[in-house]
Amino acid sequence: MLNFLTILLKRLPFPTAQPGSKLPGNGLKGREAIGCPTQVDTLAAIAIPQLIAVGIRGVILDLDNTIISEDDRYLSPYAETWIQQAKDAGIKLFLLSNGKRRYRVEYWSSHLGIPAISPARKPFPAAFHKAMKVMQLKPKQVVVIGDSRHTDILGAWLAGCPGIQVASLPHPPRWWEKILGRYVQMPYPEALHLWEFQPSAYYQKS
């Protein structure tokens, strides 16, 4: 069974970045896909003007290990600034999370001012289509950004959207990540700065 999953993940029908390749002019790692990168280190590394230039008007964002680590230890550097800049540029945003702790998704949805669906059951496309309906945008106008190739990027492909994979924020690996993690996630570069996060100052469980 594991051998079958490994082969499947290697052959998923969407592009991956080539080691050492860069997009001209902005230092982003990855090949071009509809004029924007397919893989970057962090959310804040994505050039918003570049998204707009290729017709992107909406962003579907993952939460766990993309914006905040699932153990609430790290926050993606400048993620909130990037989200605000995207809003200021007229881009619509939506959160899709597979997380089971609903209070976390509700907190970040409220804190960031972004509507959310949880659990989203990614990679199944229903939640992606619902988000696009709310945003009143077509798949080609929406980019999906997340850290997991088998949920976020595969879900984007199934929904007809382009996808950008970010490196996973450090977090305690689950059992399947110890076996298949290298096929579905990019490790967070050791040289990149990490922002510590103190959840006790934010979360109020109801």
Side-chain angles (χ1 to χ4, degrees):
M1 182 63 178
L2 288 176
N3 287 337
F4 170 77
L5 289 173
T6 300
I7 293 172
L8 177 62
L9 290 168
K10 285 181 177 180
R11 295 184 178 181
L12 288 179
F14 36 78
T16 56
Q18 300 298 316
S21 63
K22 292 185 177 181
L23 201 62
N26 58 18
L28 299 181
K29 295 180 180 178
R31 297 191 306 186
E32 288 186 81
I34 64 150
C36 62
T38 57
Q39 291 182 325
V40 297
D41 290 332
T42 65
L43 177 63
I46 300 170
I48 294 171
Q50 187 179 13
L51 296 182
I52 295 173
V54 297
I56 296 300
R57 298 295 178 264
V59 174
I60 293 176
L61 278 173
D62 175 47
L63 180 62
D64 286 338
N65 304 323
T66 296
I67 296 174
I68 181 78
S69 62
E70 61 186 83
D71 61 349
D72 295 324
R73 183 176 179 184
Y74 298 113
L75 183 67
S76 181
Y78 303 103
E80 294 180 70
T81 299
W82 187 94
I83 288 169
Q84 186 58 55
Q85 290 175 345
K87 289 181 181 180
D88 292 342
I91 291 178
K92 299 178 181 179
L93 296 106
F94 209 102
L95 281 174
L96 293 187
S97 174
N98 282 357
K100 297 179 180 180
R101 292 173 290 170
R102 193 178 298 269
Y103 72 92
R104 293 178 75 255
V105 180
E106 291 176 350
Y107 167 78
W108 285 104
S109 175
S110 175
H111 178 68
L112 297 172
I114 302 175
I117 295 175
S118 175
R121 297 181 175 86
K122 297 177 289 186
F124 298 108
F128 293 89
H129 289 306
K130 185 174 181 179
M132 287 186 281
K133 184 176 181 180
V134 171
M135 292 189 287
Q136 298 181 320
L137 294 173
K138 298 177 181 179
K140 66 180 180 180
Q141 297 176 297
V142 177
V143 66
V144 177
I145 303 174
D147 75 300
S148 293
R149 195 168 183 242
H150 67 305
T151 55
D152 304 304
I153 307 307
L154 176 57
W157 180 77
L158 291 173
C161 301
I164 300 176
Q165 184 180 15
V166 299
S168 295
L169 290 169
H171 62 279
R174 286 166 282 183
W175 68 267
W176 63 265
E177 289 177 311
K178 294 178 180 179
I179 301 172
L180 298 173
R182 62 186 175 130
Y183 298 113
V184 298
Q185 296 172 332
M186 296 190 301
Y188 196 84
E190 293 183 3
L192 282 187
H193 182 58
L194 280 167
W195 285 10
E196 295 281 347
F197 182 73
Q198 300 297 327
S200 60
Y202 292 82
Y203 298 152
Q204 294 291 332
K205 292 186 181 181
S206 57

